[in-house]
Amino acid sequence: MASAPAWANQPMTVVYPPKEHQTTSERIFLIGTAPPDAEVTVNGKAIARSRAGHFAPSFPLQVGDNVFTLRYQNQQVQVKVTRQSTTPEPPVGLAFAQDSLTPVVDVARLPGELVCFSAIAPPNATVSVNLANQKVPLLPQSQNIQLPLNSAALTQQNQPTEAITGQYQGCTTLPASFASLIYGNNINTGMVTGSNSIQPQFQLTVNGKTTTQPSPGKISVLSPAHLEVAEVTADAGVARTGPGTDYSRLTPLPKGTRASITAKEGEWLRLDYGGWINSQETRIVAGAVPPRSLIRSVSARQVAGATEIVFPLQVPVPVSVQQSDRTLTLNLHNTTAQTDVIRLDDSLLISRLDWQQIAPEQLQYTFNLKTAQQWGYKLRYDGTSLVLTLRHAPVRGQGELTGIKILLDPGHGGAELGARGPNGYPEKEINLVISKLVRDQLVARGATVYMTREEDTELSLGDRVAMIDKLEPAIALSLHYNALPDSGDAMNTKGFGAFWYHPQAHNLAVFLHNYVVNKLQRPSYGVYWNNLALTRPASAPSVLLELGFMINPTEFEWIVDPQAQQRLAEAIAQGITEWFSRVQR
C-alpha cells in the first residue's frame, strides 16, 4: 500500500466530502480515519468505526447549510455541506421564475409535429404563448413526477417522487402554413427573428396585470421537400434516442453514413431513421437528395480471425444492430431489397442468414450463429458498401490460456485519482496493483496480456477504447474499486460488482461475478447492465469489474491487505480460465 499523503498525517483525517461541498442529495456520508484507541464523535455523538479506525457514517441533510463537527481527542474538524433544493420556488408577483421558460434552445420540426412549452409562474395565473397567429394556452400542472437519476439504481433508491412545481405546460402542432408565415413579413403575434424562425412570446396575467417575455429558443418549420442531408464525420457517430447526452445510446453510425435531417434541437439533429446525433459529428452535404438505397446481392469472405459480410449499397445508410443468444441482427434503414441471390458457404461462425423487408424502407438481416458466445463485431463503410466483421472464437493452444489475448485496463491514473479510501489512498494506485497481479496470473496460465497503462499515467477513456478496438483481444476487463453517490450508505454497502453493455459480454460478467463471490466468500454488489465507456466496445466482450468499495471502512481493510490482493488476483485469473473452458467446449 502506498504511503499516506502529507495532508493525511494528522491523527484524524476526513477525505470526503471536500471543502464547501454542494449536493442535491438528502443524505451525506463522511469518509475518514483516526487511530482506534479513542472515540470519534460527530456533533457530539460517537460513531462506529472499523478495527483500523476508519469511518463512514451517513447523516440526513436539510436544504441549505449543514455543519458537522468531528472530534478526536483534542482535534476538531468542521465540515460544511450545502444541500441545494431540486424544487424551484414559484415566483411571487408578475413574473416567471428565472430560467424556467422552455424550449431553451432553437427547435425545428416538420409540419404537423408537436411542439411543447412550459414555464414556472405564480399560482392562479393565466399563461399562454403567442406563436405566429396561434395562441397556445399553458395550463397549471397539479403535480410533477420527478424520475430519479440513473445512479439511483446503484443505491436501490430508484423510485419516482412527486413535486409541486408551479409549472404550466401546453403544446401545439405546427401546420405547414406556419412556414409561409415565418417567411412572410407581416406577422402580428410573435417576434420575427430571421428568415426562417420565429421567437415565441410568453404572456403572463396575474390579478388583471399582464407581462410578456420572449422564449429563449426560437421555432422553425422544416420543409419536407427540402430537407438537409447530414453525413457522419466521426469514426463512430454517437446516435441517441433524443436530443442530448441524457438520452440513451443507439448503435453508433459508421463514418460516412448519410441521412436527411428531420428535426433540430439546439446542436442536435434528428436523422430520418429516428436517431439523434450531435451536429459536431456531422457535416451538411450540399445539394444532396434524401439518401435512399437499393440492395441486391450480399456476399461473405473469410479474413484472419473473422468473417466479413459485404452489403453493396448506393449510399451509406443508417444501421442498427441487436445481439441475442445465437443471433446477430443487422437493420439497414432507408433501404429497399431487390435481392434474388445471396451466397453464404458453410463457415466456422454462421449457420444461416435470414433476411426480410420489415418496413417499406427497412431491411433486416439475421445471422444465425453456431455458438451462443459471440466474440465481437465491427461496422464500417468501404465507399458505399457496408462491411460487417464478425470475429471468430480465439484458438487456444496446449496450455490453459495459450493463444488467448486479454486486455486489462487499470482504471484512472495520473491526475484522475478515482475514489479514495478513508486515509486518502487513491483508487488509481490499487487498480494498478491488482491489474499487475492479475496479469501475472494470466501470463502464468499461457495468456498474452496487454495493459492500457503500466505506470501512474493519465489515459483518456477514448484512448483506452481505441486500444481495445486496435488490439482486438478475446476479452477486455477494466478493473476498478467502487464508491457511491452522496445518497448511498457507505458504511454498509460493500461487495464485488460486474458491469456489461453488449449481450456478448453478459455471460462473462455473470460468470466472473459468481466465481469470485463464491470462491472468496465475498459479498455481492450485483451484476449490472451499464452504459460505461469501457463496457461499450463492440469489438470484443468487454466487462468492467468493481472489486470492492474504497469508501467502506471494513472492506477497505481487505482491499489493502497484500495477501487478500493475491487471493483476489488468483480468483479472477482462474475464473477467466474456467470461463474460456466452458464457452469453448
Side-chain angles (χ1 to χ4, degrees), residues 142-172:
S142 59
Q143 65 179 25
N144 185 22
I145 302 299
Q146 301 286 336
L147 292 178
L149 297 175
N150 275 296
S151 60
L154 303 176
T155 57
Q156 310 303 315
Q157 297 171 338
N158 54 329
Q159 297 296 320
T161 57
E162 292 187 14
I164 306 300
T165 64
Q167 191 169 73
Y168 293 73
Q169 294 179 349
C171 300
T172 187

Side-chain angles (χ1 to χ4, degrees), residues 21 23 61-67 80-85:
H21 183 56
T23 182
L61 294 175
Q62 296 179 341
V63 174
D65 292 341
N66 299 258
V67 177
K80 186 175 80 170
V81 178
T82 302
R83 178 185 167 189
Q84 299 172 320
S85 174

Side-chain angles (χ1 to χ4, degrees), residues 32-109:
T33 191
D37 55 355
E39 71 176 11
V40 173
T41 64
V42 178
N43 293 346
K45 295 183 178 180
I47 59 172
R49 294 195 288 156
S50 70
R51 292 173 58 186
H54 307 320
F55 56 81
S58 290
F59 298 94
L61 294 175
Q62 296 179 341
V63 174
D65 292 341
N66 299 258
V67 177
F68 301 94
T69 301
L70 294 87
R71 293 183 185 274
Y72 171 78
Q73 294 183 335
N74 295 326
Q75 185 184 1
Q76 176 177 304
V77 175
Q78 278 201 335
V79 177
K80 186 175 80 170
V81 178
T82 302
R83 178 185 167 189
Q84 299 172 320
S85 174
T86 58
T87 303
E89 291 292 331
V92 177
L94 190 63
F96 292 107
Q98 186 176 2
D99 300 325
S100 71
L101 305 186
T102 68
V104 297
V105 295
D106 294 349
V107 171
R109 293 288 189 271

Side-chain angles (χ1 to χ4, degrees), residues 138-207:
L138 273 58
L139 303 179
Q141 306 301 302
S142 59
Q143 65 179 25
N144 185 22
I145 302 299
Q146 301 286 336
L147 292 178
L149 297 175
N150 275 296
S151 60
L154 303 176
T155 57
Q156 310 303 315
Q157 297 171 338
N158 54 329
Q159 297 296 320
T161 57
E162 292 187 14
I164 306 300
T165 64
Q167 191 169 73
Y168 293 73
Q169 294 179 349
C171 300
T172 187
T173 55
L174 300 177
S177 59
F178 184 62
S180 62
L181 289 174
I182 289 177
Y183 284 94
N185 295 319
N186 186 20
I187 302 178
N188 296 320
T189 54
M191 182 187 300
V192 179
T193 59
S195 60
N196 62 350
S197 63
I198 189 170
Q199 191 166 37
Q201 298 293 303
F202 282 78
Q203 182 173 299
L204 169 66
T205 300
V206 179
N207 296 328

